[in-house]
Amino acid sequence: MQKFSKNLIRSFPSRIKKGVINMNHLLITGGAGFIGANFARYVYESHPEVQIVVLDKLTYAGNRANLTDILGDRVKLVVGDICDAPLVDRLVSKADAIVHFAAESHNDKALVNPWPFIQTNIVGTYTLIQAATKYHKRFHHVSTDEVYGDLPLSEHGSGDEGKFTPTSPYQPSSPYSASKASSDMLVRAWTRSFGLQATISNCSNNYGPYQHIEKFIPRQITNILSGRRPKLYGTGNNVRDWIHTNDHSAAIWDILTKGRIGEAYLIGANGEMSNKAVLEMILQLMGQPQDAYDVVRDRPGHDLRYAIDASKLRTELGWRPQYTNFEAGLQDTIEWYTSHRSWWETSKAQVEQTYARHNQ
Ligand code: NAD
Ligand code: DAU
């Protein structure tokens, strides 16, 4: 397997070569968002020695309530922007390691207004890696499988499926994925040229609690809970490779603590399903007729299929997904949204108005 940087060992301090990395003070960017908050909670619960500082701008996607139950002596929230160089410099200088989740993350929004994606995903990542390089801090960059573009639908379910691997070419197709691909390239370049002590992970579609209701699964669940009809883009044949966010958290921890510097790891749990099949499962679990949804305008440039070959992560680091029953995970997720109405109800009408403006 090829490293994303070839001359790393020469440029790194010996404590990194030996793998002796202190992780007691973690800086988590974007830790008030969906995956970042679940990761902060995962570390809080499973590694009691770790102190966490979350840096989050609290955009529309960030929510202090995602962390309320763990904020205290061990977990602090700093409200700020990853593009704010003096703030980033100060926080990075005090951390042992940085796990970088902060991003503009929604494809539909990027298609309407790409600018915040360029600013946060590219300039924000640049700002962080400048500081991490300056202070020789361990840096983990959380990225997406979308940097590889999409796969043909014809191979889905054929038994001999082509999947993304660490050597797949970068071919992003949307403004969001292009901005994430750009950020990956910056991390790769800083690692090779300036000795940044970095790893990258490229994960598939996450589901679970605290996911913003603009995203596919929570949008459909909360549509049903609020008396609206679910919305399916186009044919519904597009395939996503679903993974529970807790499995993503465990993979990131393994990469952070055991991964090789200069390596990119793909994260996925063999969870390929068409959007139509996922929606039908939600309808069935929520006691609705199978056809109780609207077909709406398709997403421009809609990626057909994502599928991850995670064998490097499994073989090298021994990671295994724990949430292997998608239907059970989905049922838990439905129960979470059902019992946390106050978490999403206030923003529901506005999210749906925005979609309606674009016939989605
Ligand atoms: P999210 O939109 O739920 O959360 C993003 C968080 O980043 C929010 O809390 C937001 O306030 C914060 N943020 C945005 N701009 C910021 C800025 N300039 N400064 C500081 N904070 C800022 O996103 P998510 O779904 O939790 O995704 C987290 C990361 O994981 C992203 O980097 C995304 O590309 C990546 N990822 C997501 C998925 C997925 O399925 N959602 C899959 C693979 C990778
Ligand atoms: O693959 C990883 C990526 O997964 C992450 O990098 C992104 O941050 C994350 O948002 C997600 O991107 P997608 O575009 O795949 O996720 P989204 O939830 O927006 O859509 C999932 C699929 O469902 C996609 O094929 C579009 C479709 N869809 C989406 C919505 C919101 C619908 O059919 N109806 C909808 O209402």
Side-chain angles (χ1 to χ4, degrees):
M1 230 40 102
Q2 210 180 10
K3 281 176 184 291
F4 64 67
S5 185
K6 291 180 190 134
N7 63 351
L8 298 174
I9 299 305
R10 186 162 46 81
S11 35
F12 285 142
S14 57
R15 70 189 182 92
I16 300 298
K17 273 189 264 175
K18 289 179 198 142
V20 186
I21 307 170
N22 185 351
M23 292 291 169
N24 286 350
H25 293 90
L26 270 194
L27 175 62
I28 301 179
T29 73
F34 164 46
I35 304 175
N38 278 295
F39 178 75
R41 185 166 283 98
Y42 171 86
V43 174
Y44 178 82
E45 284 165 4
S46 50
H47 300 284
E49 72 287 2
V50 179
Q51 305 275 330
I52 296 168
V53 172
V54 167
L55 170 60
D56 198 297
K57 192 178 172 183
L58 297 184
T59 66
Y60 79 97
N63 191 340
R64 189 185 293 268
N66 296 358
L67 295 168
T68 320
D69 54 322
I70 59 169
L71 287 177
D73 286 348
R74 281 185 52 216
V75 184
K76 309 275 184 222
L77 170 63
V78 175
V79 179
D81 193 325
I82 56 166
C83 301
D84 178 343
L87 173 65
V88 163
D89 187 278
R90 184 163 57 79
L91 295 176
V92 167
S93 73
K94 292 182 188 156
D96 296 319
I98 300 98
V99 186
H100 174 35
F101 293 90
E104 288 291 338
S105 69
H106 194 37
N107 273 299
D108 292 319
K109 278 204 149 54
L111 289 159
V112 175
N113 179 17
W115 173 244
F117 292 74
I118 305 302
Q119 180 68 14
T120 286
N121 299 1
I122 304 177
V123 179
T125 301
Y126 159 79
T127 308
L128 284 160
I129 57 179
Q130 283 286 78
T133 303
K134 176 178 169 188
Y135 293 108
H136 304 288
K137 295 298 168 78
R138 177 77 174 83
F139 188 82
H140 180 71
H141 180 59
V142 179
S143 192
T144 170
D145 58 356
E146 295 193 17
V147 299
Y148 303 115
D150 62 356
L151 297 161
L153 274 182
S154 52
E155 290 176 359
H156 171 57
S158 66
D160 183 24
E161 303 142 315
K163 295 188 176 191
F164 296 135
T165 73
T167 56
S168 295
Y170 271 54
Q171 289 179 326
S173 33
S174 75
Y176 161 70
S177 54
S179 71
K180 290 296 291 188
S182 305
S183 67
D184 288 18
M185 292 303 175
L186 294 178
V187 173
R188 285 166 181 253
W190 262 240
T191 303
R192 175 159 175 156
S193 297
F194 303 133
L196 175 67
Q197 301 155 25
T199 42
I200 297 177
S201 53
N202 298 91
C203 188
S204 59
N205 285 64
N206 284 221
Y207 74 99
Y210 300 103
Q211 185 166 32
H212 195 279
I213 58 168
E214 68 191 354
K215 302 296 192 323
F216 179 58
I217 287 179
R219 185 183 183 201
Q220 314 315 332
I221 295 170
T222 56
N223 274 355
I224 295 169
L225 289 174
S226 62
R228 296 169 169 91
R229 281 168 70 86
K231 310 290 180 203
L232 190 66
Y233 293 174
T235 61
N237 291 332
N238 304 60
V239 171
R240 296 295 182 262
D241 189 353
W242 293 99
I243 180 172
H244 195 281
T245 191
N246 290 348
D247 282 332
H248 189 182
S249 293
I252 290 174
W253 182 260
D254 284 352
I255 297 166
L256 187 66
T257 54
K258 298 185 282 184
R260 285 182 294 146
I261 301 296
E263 295 285 332
Y265 294 86
L266 270 64
I267 308 175
N270 296 325
E272 276 188 79
M273 278 182 82
S274 74
N275 294 337
K276 188 160 180 282
V278 172
L279 178 53
E280 285 172 353
M281 194 179 276
I282 293 171
L283 287 162
Q284 184 243 320
L285 291 170
M286 297 183 74
Q288 303 290 310
Q290 289 294 92
D291 60 352
Y293 61 87
D294 296 331
V295 172
V296 294
R297 186 179 75 96
D298 205 355
R299 176 182 283 172
H302 197 170
D303 279 345
L304 295 173
R305 170 176 169 247
Y306 307 140
I308 291 280
D309 175 350
S311 49
K312 178 176 172 179
L313 181 65
R314 287 172 177 262
T315 312
E316 212 177 277
L317 305 185
W319 172 86
R320 296 284 181 280
Q322 303 300 310
Y323 295 75
T324 48
N325 183 338
F326 179 69
E327 187 169 339
L330 199 53
Q331 178 68 60
D332 287 349
T333 306
I334 291 168
E335 280 165 21
W336 191 86
Y337 283 92
T338 306
S339 59
H340 289 76
R341 289 189 87 108
S342 61
W343 185 84
W344 56 267
E345 232 165 13
T346 47
S347 58
K348 183 65 182 169
Q350 202 234 310
V351 169
E352 290 307 314
Q353 273 164 23
T354 306
Y355 272 124
R357 274 203 292 279
H358 301 282
N359 299 317
Q360 289 185 319

